[in-house]
């Protein structure tokens, strides 16, 4: 065994904070690396040490292998944890760590290389007796030859980049006539993303579910699984909601899938955490997709239903310790759902949103975990992933976990830029989700969930009234003289004070006239309302509107009021 006393994290944001948390529990000192946008990020302050690595471009920072290895050695680190993304599945990085005498928290370079190319990975899976999707390797084939093989395979087909995943270089092709344009586009995208334009072609499975099995091996030959996760709800081939266990997998299917995953892991002599990803067709047949040789974004749902700390086990295995668990010790209890809260606008085809988080508040609920790398005032930039936070809800049953997740999303406050919070809430409350009717086309079939709720206009109108009265309360609180006089007071009451807000392109006219006892007469677009200010604080106001009391959180930035209720 090689003891790890200090660990450098070659990543950022929420996953860096997540790794720091476990290292602190284990008594391992941590070193963060940060680029310009993250100078004041929470993970930088949470680490024991933090080292500036350079400009925000990933090529000059989080993808700079030699620079990262040098920083680790200079800091006196024993090991490097790559997190996920960036260099997490880069065999050259794992080899560079080993060559420098550093422990790489992940599998051996050979295992990463074996799974890094989808064509090679399929052959290894086939040799391990794991079902693979019918298809062929298009490397070296002309368009004519590809068309001939596609016709033999049967349309529709799926073009995939051989060198990587994440939806890059992926195209669904319905007919021979569509192939040339799709091949050209897929090759361009694959080349830009992975430096390799080689393609795979597979039979396209209609309405598939995306199921993955978590495996964990040590350096002494022991290999176990930690059951499965369902990751079918995606946008642009990127997961946004994951859960464990899958509502589609019964005990018989679970045994078949986990046994297949373990056969593949044994074939690779796999040590560390790994995820065997599969597709499940409507008939109940499953096929190998790929192996992610790293910690997954969605690992918390597995931790919730097994009670394990997967990062701790990953580190201990890297030190050379034997797994402290037998397969019988890993028990599945309850249900967990994870939602990825991202800075993007679902109503505008998930256009990324950048800017400053005017206000951020995570939910504080029993059974809910929040992994995040932001605080109020954090900047979401164009340089990195749009992930703001991951919310994980756990309960004894799936319906109870979904209800808890909905409550957590309602309590989550993310203001200052567009986010997918409301979409996530609509999904977990939707009948198809609650019935477990999931597949990778869920958002295509239920595209209306991405639209702004019909109730949102009325909510905006109420929020505009709250903003207006909060502003007048702040003005009175900050007044140098006559602070107790109602805002806009006259000896002879006349016209109301007015303010016009804009929300989602709609103008909302608010009128109000304050009276004694914090009461007011108010109008919203001319419609009268009876209002009382129950309480006003620097970041909130409690109102009684037509006999209904509600509390509103308010943040003001420049010429914008962000209101939450």
């Amino acid at each position: 065994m090689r003891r790890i006393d200090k660990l450098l994290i070659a990543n950022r944001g929420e996953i860096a904070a997540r790794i720091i948390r476990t290292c602190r529990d284990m008594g391992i000192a941590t070193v963060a690396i940060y680029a310009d946008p993250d100078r004041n990020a929470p993970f930088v302050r949470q680490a024991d040490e933090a080292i500036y690595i350079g400009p925000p471009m990933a090529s000059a920072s989080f993808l700079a292998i030699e620079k990262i290895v040098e920083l680790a050695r200079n800091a006196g680190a024993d090991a490097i944890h790559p997190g996920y993304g960036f260099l997490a599945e880069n065999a050259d990085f794992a080899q560079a760590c080993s060559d420098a005498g550093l422990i790489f928290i992940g599998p051996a370079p050979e295992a990463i290389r074996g799974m890094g190319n989808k064509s090679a990975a399929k052959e290894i899976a086939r040799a391990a007796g794991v079902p693979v999707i019918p298809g062929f390797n298009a490397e070296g084939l002309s368009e004519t030859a590809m068309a001939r093989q596609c016709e033999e395979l049967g349309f529709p087909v799926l073009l995939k980049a051989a060198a990587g995943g994440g939806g890059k270089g992926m195209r669904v092709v319905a007919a021979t006539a569509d192939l040339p344009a799709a091949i050209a586009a897929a090759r361009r995208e694959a080349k830009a993303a992975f430096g390799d334009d080689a393609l795979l072609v597979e039979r396209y499975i209609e309405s598939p579910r995306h199921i993955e099995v978590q495996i964990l091996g040590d350096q002494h030959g022991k290999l176990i699984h930690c059951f499965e996760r369902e990751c079918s709800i995606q946008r642009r081939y990127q997961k946004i909601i994951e859960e464990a266990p899958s509502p589609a997998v019964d005990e018989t299917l679970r045994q078949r899938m986990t046994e297949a995953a373990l056969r593949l892991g044994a074939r690779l002599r796999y040590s560390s955490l790994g995820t065997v990803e599969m597709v499940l067709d409507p008939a109940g047949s499953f096929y190998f997709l790929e192996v992610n040789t790293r910690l997954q974004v969605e690992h918390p749902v597995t931790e919730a239903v097994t009670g394990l700390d997967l990062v701790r086990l990953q580190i201990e295995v890297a030190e050379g310790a034997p797994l402290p668990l037998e397969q019988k010790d890993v028990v599945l209890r309850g249900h967990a759902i994870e939602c990825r809260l991202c800075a993007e606008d679902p109503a505008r085809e998930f256009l990324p949103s950048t800017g400053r988080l005017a206000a951020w508040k995570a939910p504080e609920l029993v059974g809910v975990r929040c992994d995040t790398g932001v605080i109020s005032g954090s900047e979401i930039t164009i340089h990195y992933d749009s992930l703001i936070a991951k919310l994980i809800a756990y309960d004894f049953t799936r319906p109870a976990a979904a209800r808890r997740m909905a409550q957590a999303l309602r309590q989550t406050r993310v203001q200052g830029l567009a986010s997918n919070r409301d979409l996530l809430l609509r999904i977990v409350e939707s009948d198809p989700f609650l019935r477990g009717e999931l597949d990778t086309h869920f958002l295509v079939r239920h595209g209306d969930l991405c639209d702004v709720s019909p109730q949102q206009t009325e909510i905006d109108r109420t929020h505009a009234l709250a903003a207006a009265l909060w502003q007048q309360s702040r003005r009175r609180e900050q007044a140098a003289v006559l602070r107790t006089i109602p805002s806009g007071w006259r000896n002879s009451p006349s016209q109301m004070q007015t303010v016009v807000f804009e929300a989602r392109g709609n103008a909302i006219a608010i009128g109000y006239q304050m009276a004694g006892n914090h009461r007011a007469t108010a109008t919203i677009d001319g419609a009268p309302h009876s209002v009382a200010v129950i309480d006003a604080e620097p970041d909130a106001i409690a109102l009684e509107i037509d006999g209904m009391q509600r509390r509103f959180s308010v943040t003001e930035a420049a010429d914008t009021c962000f209101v939450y209720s």
Side-chain angles (χ1 to χ4, degrees), residues 476-493:
R476 298 319 308 151
E477 181 67 27
Q478 295 164 5
V481 295
L482 303 177
R483 184 177 299 172
T484 59
I485 299 291
S487 178
W489 186 84
R490 298 288 187 275
N491 283 336
S492 301

Side-chain angles (χ1 to χ4, degrees), residues 267-546:
R267 185 88 182 183
L268 292 167
R269 297 181 181 177
Y270 199 86
S271 63
S272 192
L273 281 178
T275 302
V276 181
E277 304 212 3
M278 306 179 189
V279 291
L280 179 67
D281 71 17
S285 297
F286 65 88
Y287 303 94
F288 169 78
L289 190 61
E290 62 183 346
V291 173
N292 284 311
T293 54
R294 55 171 167 82
L295 182 69
Q296 291 279 94
V297 180
E298 58 271 23
H299 75 275
V301 292
T302 296
E303 293 184 324
V305 297
T306 62
L308 302 175
D309 183 334
L310 295 181
V311 174
R312 182 186 188 107
L313 291 168
Q314 188 185 30
I315 292 172
E316 290 175 345
V317 163
E319 289 181 310
L323 274 175
L325 301 162
E326 302 294 334
Q327 187 63 67
K328 62 181 176 59
D329 300 322
V330 187
V331 180
L332 183 63
R333 292 189 177 94
H335 201 95
I337 299 171
E338 174 178 293
C339 286
R340 300 191 194 186
L341 186 65
C342 299
E344 59 189 22
D345 190 346
R348 299 176 65 192
E349 298 183 343
F350 297 95
L351 185 71
S353 179
T354 59
R356 181 176 175 272
L357 270 173
W360 160 254
K361 188 175 187 302
E364 297 177 358
L365 293 168
V366 173
V368 173
R369 163 178 164 181
C370 179
D371 286 8
T372 186
V374 303
I375 56 175
S376 293
S378 291
E379 291 284 339
I380 306 297
T381 74
I382 61 172
H383 300 290
Y384 306 119
D385 188 89
S386 63
L387 185 67
I388 297 171
K390 302 180 317 198
L391 299 181
I392 304 96
Y394 172 83
D395 215 311
F396 295 114
T397 66
R398 186 174 186 269
R403 186 181 298 115
R404 195 179 294 275
M405 176 58 77
Q407 185 183 15
L409 287 164
R410 286 194 196 93
Q411 286 195 10
T412 300
R413 188 174 165 199
V414 50
Q415 296 171 328
L417 37 73
S419 81
N420 64 344
R421 188 202 73 151
D422 292 350
L423 168 64
L424 296 170
L425 177 58
R426 288 194 288 270
I427 291 173
V428 299
E429 290 188 318
S430 69
D431 289 337
F433 179 84
L434 294 174
R435 290 193 297 264
E437 297 171 354
L438 314 179
D439 61 48
T440 56
H441 307 307
F442 183 91
L443 283 180
V444 174
R445 289 187 291 105
H446 303 289
D448 57 313
L449 292 172
C450 296
D451 299 334
V452 175
S453 166
Q455 292 80 31
Q456 190 61 54
T457 299
E458 196 57 41
I459 292 171
D460 289 343
R461 286 157 56 85
T462 304
H463 282 182
L465 175 60
L469 295 180
W470 176 83
Q471 286 180 330
Q472 80 85 26
S473 295
R474 297 309 303 149
R475 286 195 296 271
R476 298 319 308 151
E477 181 67 27
Q478 295 164 5
V481 295
L482 303 177
R483 184 177 299 172
T484 59
I485 299 291
S487 178
W489 186 84
R490 298 288 187 275
N491 283 336
S492 301
S494 55
Q495 293 182 327
M496 289 183 171
Q497 290 184 273
T498 60
V499 60
V500 178
F501 292 96
E502 182 184 307
R504 300 170 219 277
N506 300 315
I508 305 171
I510 302 296
Y512 61 89
Q513 191 170 65
M514 302 302 300
N517 299 319
H518 301 285
R519 303 202 68 84
T521 301
T523 60
I524 305 176
D525 287 336
H529 298 273
S530 174
V531 181
V533 178
I534 307 300
D535 184 38
E537 299 174 12
D539 62 352
I541 189 167
L543 300 178
E544 179 188 284
I545 305 173
D546 299 330

